[in-house]
Amino acid sequence: MAFNFGGAATNPATGLAAPGFGTTTTAAAPAGFGGFGTTTTGAFGGFGTTTTSAAAPGSTFSFATPASTTGGLFGNTQNKGFGFSSGLGTGTTAAAGFGTGLGTTLGGGFGGFNIQPQQQQQGSFFGQQAQAPAQSNQLVHTANALSAPTLLGDERDAILAKWNQLQAFWGTGKGYFNNQLPPVDFTQENPFCRFKAVGYSCIPGSKDEDGLVVLAFNKKEADVRSQQQHLVESLHKVLGGNQTLTVNVEGVKALPDDQTEVVIYVVERSPNGTSKRIPATTLYSYVEQANTKAQLTQLAVFMSVTRTELSPAQLKQLLANAPAGVDPIIWEQAKVDNPDADKLIPVPMVGFKELLRRLKIQDQMTKQHQSRVDIISNDISELQKNQATTVAKIAQYKRKLMDLSHRVLQVLIKQEIQRKSGYAIQVDEEHLRVQLDTIQCELNAPTQFKGRLNELMSQIRMQNHFGAVRSEERYSVDGDLLREIRQHLKQQQEGLSQLISVIKDDVEDIKLIEHGLLDRLG
C-alpha cells in the first residue's frame, strides 16, 4: 500500500521549519564580540549527537556553559532544524542561564543545521558502545514486528505481520510481536512510511553576522503591525533591558492560520560610539533558553529560528546523505530534479500535515504576489493618467510660450523703434530692410503664400457654411492669425486702390493725347 505526494513542491517561504534529525553540539565563543558566551550549533542528517567545546577569548559578558546530554546511535537533541518533526530516539539539550547580556547560541543554517564537524568527544556518533546493543535491538524488534511476530504462535501471526506492515506504511500505531516485549511504536519518521515526498525550499541568503532571527507569532499581521512598537519594547525587556542593546524589526510577513512572521535583529552599541549586530546564532541561543522561551510564549511566540545561509561545505554535507527514513534513490533523484540548485535545496515532506502546511504557505505567497501585481497594475494605470495629463499640459504650455514669444517680440520692436528714433538708417538696417522687402514680395507672390492664403480663406468660408448647417460643429481661428489675415487683406485692398488710381490717371493721359492728335490733324 504505497502513496506518493505527486512530485516535488517548491516552498517560497523559508525560515520556519520543523526540528531536524540529529544534532552536533558545539560550544564556542565568537572572538571580538564582547558579551556572549558559548555557541551551540545544530546539524542535519546524522543519528546521535556530537559535543565539542572551545574557549571564549575576549568576552566581557559571562555565562554558564550549557550542559548537553548526549545520545547514542539513534539519539537526538531538541533542534529547530529543517525537515522532519523529530528524530529517532530521544535526547535533550539544556542551555545556560542569563547574565548581563545574551547567553548561549543554538542553531544555525536553516534554523538549526549548521553542519561543521568539530572535535568529537566520548558519547558521540557510535561513541557510546554500551547503547549500541539497545539501538540494534530496536531495529531487530521492528524487523520482527514486520516479518515474524510470535505473539500468538499460529497462523494469525502472519495476519498480525501484515497489519504491522500496514501500520508502518501508514506511519502510526503500535506493532505487537512478542508477549514478553513491549510493542514497537510506528511514526511517520520510520523508513517504511510511504507518505513521504521531497520538496524544495529557498536557501537563505543572510549571513550569521546579519543577526536575523525569525519569531513566529500566533497573531494576525494587522495586530502585530499595530502593536509593533510595543512588541519591540517587550522584546527588549525579554533580552534583559540592557541600554546598550537595541531591538530592530527587519520585516513582518503574514503566515497561514492567522499567524505572523517577524524578522528581528539586535544591535549592540559600545561606549566608544560604534555599533555591531549580534550574530544570529548567538541571539537564537538566548531566545531558546527556558526562561526566555517562557517569556516569549507569553508574547504569543510559538517558534523561533535563525535565517542564515549555509557554507558550501555545509551544503555539500547536507546533500551528501539522505535524511533518515528517505530512500537514497529518491533523494538523489530530488537533487537531479532541482530546478535551481543555486537557490533551492531539497527537503523531505513527511505526512499530510507537512504537505498541508506547505500548501497553505504556497497559497499565502500566491495571494501576496497577486496583491503586489494588483498594486503594480494600479500604479501603471495612475502613471498612464498622469502621462496623458502631462502631455496635455505640455501642449498648453507650448501655445502659451508661442503667445508670450510674440508679445515679447512686439515689445522689443517698439523698444527698438524708440531707441533708434532720430538716428539715420545704418547699413545693417538697410540690409535688413531689403531682406524684409524680399520676404514681403515672396508673401505677396500669387503662386506661393498668397495662393495658400486664398485657399485657406475659401476653406474658412466653407467651414462657416457647414457650421451654419451643423451648429454642433464649431471652429475658431487664432487671434494672431486673424490679425495677420486682416493685415494682408488690407494691404491687398490698398494695392488694388492704388492700381485703380494709376489706371484712371493713365486713361486721362490717353484722352489728352487723343485730343492733341485730333487738334493737329484738324
Side-chain angles (χ1 to χ4, degrees):
M1 188 175 173
F3 183 83
N4 189 3
F5 282 152
T10 301
N11 180 12
T14 59
L16 296 181
F21 295 102
T23 58
T24 300
T25 307
T26 309
F33 188 84
F36 303 97
T38 59
T39 304
T40 306
T41 59
F44 179 83
F47 300 100
T49 57
T50 303
T51 305
T52 60
S53 61
S59 61
T60 56
F61 298 145
S62 61
F63 300 96
T65 304
S68 300
T69 62
T70 60
L73 176 62
F74 289 91
N76 76 310
T77 61
Q78 182 180 2
N79 177 24
K80 297 293 184 180
F82 196 105
F84 297 111
S85 59
S86 63
L88 300 177
T90 58
T92 57
T93 300
F98 174 65
T100 58
L102 298 179
T104 59
T105 301
L106 175 66
F110 282 90
F113 46 78
N114 242 353
I115 308 174
Q116 286 184 341
Q118 302 291 340
Q119 181 182 359
Q120 295 186 352
Q121 294 181 353
Q122 295 295 329
S124 60
F125 188 53
F126 292 108
Q128 295 183 354
Q129 300 296 332
Q131 292 188 6
Q135 300 296 342
S136 299
N137 290 336
Q138 179 74 13
L139 292 178
V140 172
H141 293 166
T142 302
N144 290 334
L146 297 178
S147 59
T150 58
L151 184 66
L152 302 174
D154 53 18
E155 67 275 2
R156 290 177 295 179
D157 287 338
I159 300 176
L160 180 61
K162 293 183 179 180
W163 171 247
N164 290 339
Q165 292 175 13
L166 181 62
Q167 291 185 103
F169 293 160
W170 187 266
T172 184
K174 296 180 180 294
Y176 293 89
F177 65 96
N178 195 297
N179 289 322
Q180 282 74 31
L181 297 174
V184 178
D185 290 330
F186 295 116
T187 61
Q188 292 180 344
E189 286 76 26
N190 78 82
F192 302 99
C193 180
R194 299 300 180 90
F195 298 110
K196 296 177 183 178
V198 178
Y200 300 95
S201 292
C202 294
I203 301 177
S206 303
K207 298 181 180 180
D208 186 41
E209 293 78 10
D210 297 333
L212 299 182
V213 174
V214 179
L215 301 179
F217 289 81
N218 271 323
K219 291 183 179 181
K220 296 182 179 180
E221 181 186 7
D223 298 338
V224 174
R225 291 187 180 276
S226 62
Q227 301 175 1
Q228 181 171 333
Q229 184 62 32
H230 177 69
L231 175 63
V232 171
E233 296 175 357
S234 301
L235 291 176
H236 185 264
K237 293 179 181 179
V238 170
L239 296 179
N242 195 334
Q243 298 299 325
T244 61
L245 300 179
T246 304
V247 179
N248 300 275
V249 177
E250 179 74 13
V252 179
K253 184 174 66 175
L255 295 177
D257 300 329
D258 292 334
Q259 297 174 351
T260 306
E261 173 188 296
V262 179
V263 183
I264 65 170
Y265 64 92
V266 179
V267 177
E268 183 188 32
R269 290 180 172 82
S270 59
N272 58 4
T274 60
S275 61
K276 182 180 181 180
R277 290 192 181 189
I278 297 176
T281 51
T282 306
L283 179 60
Y284 175 77
S285 170
Y286 177 70
V287 300
E288 281 296 304
Q289 293 182 8
N291 56 344
T292 307
K293 201 167 186 179
Q295 298 180 36
L296 292 176
T297 304
Q298 297 178 358
L299 298 177
V301 177
F302 67 92
M303 182 181 292
S304 59
V305 293
T306 59
R307 181 169 290 178
T308 54
E309 64 179 357
L310 294 174
S311 65
Q314 293 173 340
L315 189 60
K316 183 178 180 180
Q317 182 179 351
L318 175 64
L319 297 176
N321 302 318
V326 178
D327 192 336
I329 298 177
I330 298 178
W331 184 253
E332 292 297 328
Q333 187 63 34
K335 292 191 292 184
V336 174
D337 296 338
N338 192 342
D340 192 348
D342 295 333
K343 296 181 180 180
L344 302 177
I345 185 173
V347 292
M349 294 187 298
V350 182
F352 290 100
K353 290 185 178 179
E354 178 67 16
L355 181 62
L356 179 61
R357 185 186 71 85
R358 293 175 70 90
L359 180 61
K360 289 182 178 179
I361 292 176
Q362 187 73 25
D363 292 339
Q364 185 74 24
M365 293 301 297
T366 301
K367 292 179 181 179
Q368 292 181 2
H369 291 166
Q370 185 61 42
S371 62
R372 176 57 57 183
V373 170
D374 294 339
I375 293 174
I376 294 174
S377 178
N378 295 333
D379 292 342
I380 292 175
S381 300
E382 188 68 23
L383 291 175
Q384 289 177 348
K385 293 180 181 179
N386 294 338
Q387 181 186 11
T389 304
T390 303
V391 170
K393 287 184 178 180
I394 289 175
Q396 178 182 357
Y397 291 151
K398 284 183 178 180
R399 292 193 297 269
K400 188 174 182 180
L401 177 62
M402 185 178 295
D403 294 339
L404 293 177
S405 299
H406 291 167
R407 292 177 60 183
V408 170
L409 183 59
Q410 292 176 359
V411 171
L412 291 176
I413 291 172
K414 293 181 179 179
Q415 183 182 5
E416 191 67 15
I417 291 173
Q418 292 179 357
R419 189 174 68 86
K420 293 291 184 178
S421 61
Y423 290 92
I425 297 177
Q426 299 177 0
V427 178
D428 55 348
E429 293 178 348
E430 183 65 24
H431 291 315
L432 181 61
R433 186 182 66 81
V434 172
Q435 293 178 1
L436 292 175
D437 291 340
T438 305
I439 294 173
Q440 185 68 29
C441 294
E442 292 179 356
L443 292 175
N444 294 332
T447 58
Q448 294 186 7
F449 298 102
K450 186 175 181 180
R452 296 179 183 178
L453 183 60
N454 293 331
E455 182 180 358
L456 179 61
M457 290 299 298
S458 63
Q459 291 180 359
I460 292 174
R461 294 189 187 96
M462 292 177 62
Q463 289 177 359
N464 291 334
H465 175 70
F466 288 126
V469 177
R470 295 179 297 179
S471 58
E472 66 274 6
E473 297 182 1
R474 297 182 179 275
Y475 302 94
S476 60
V477 181
D478 188 69
D480 294 337
L481 181 60
L482 187 59
R483 286 194 296 270
E484 292 178 1
I485 294 173
R486 289 177 179 175
Q487 184 69 22
H488 181 73
L489 294 177
K490 183 178 179 181
Q491 293 177 358
Q492 293 292 328
Q493 185 67 28
E494 292 177 353
L496 292 175
S497 300
Q498 188 68 24
L499 181 60
I500 292 172
S501 62
V502 171
I503 292 173
K504 288 181 180 180
D505 294 339
D506 292 341
V507 170
E508 292 180 355
D509 293 338
I510 291 173
K511 288 181 179 180
L512 290 176
I513 293 172
E514 289 180 350
H515 288 301
L517 291 175
L518 291 175
D519 293 338
R520 287 185 180 182
L521 292 175

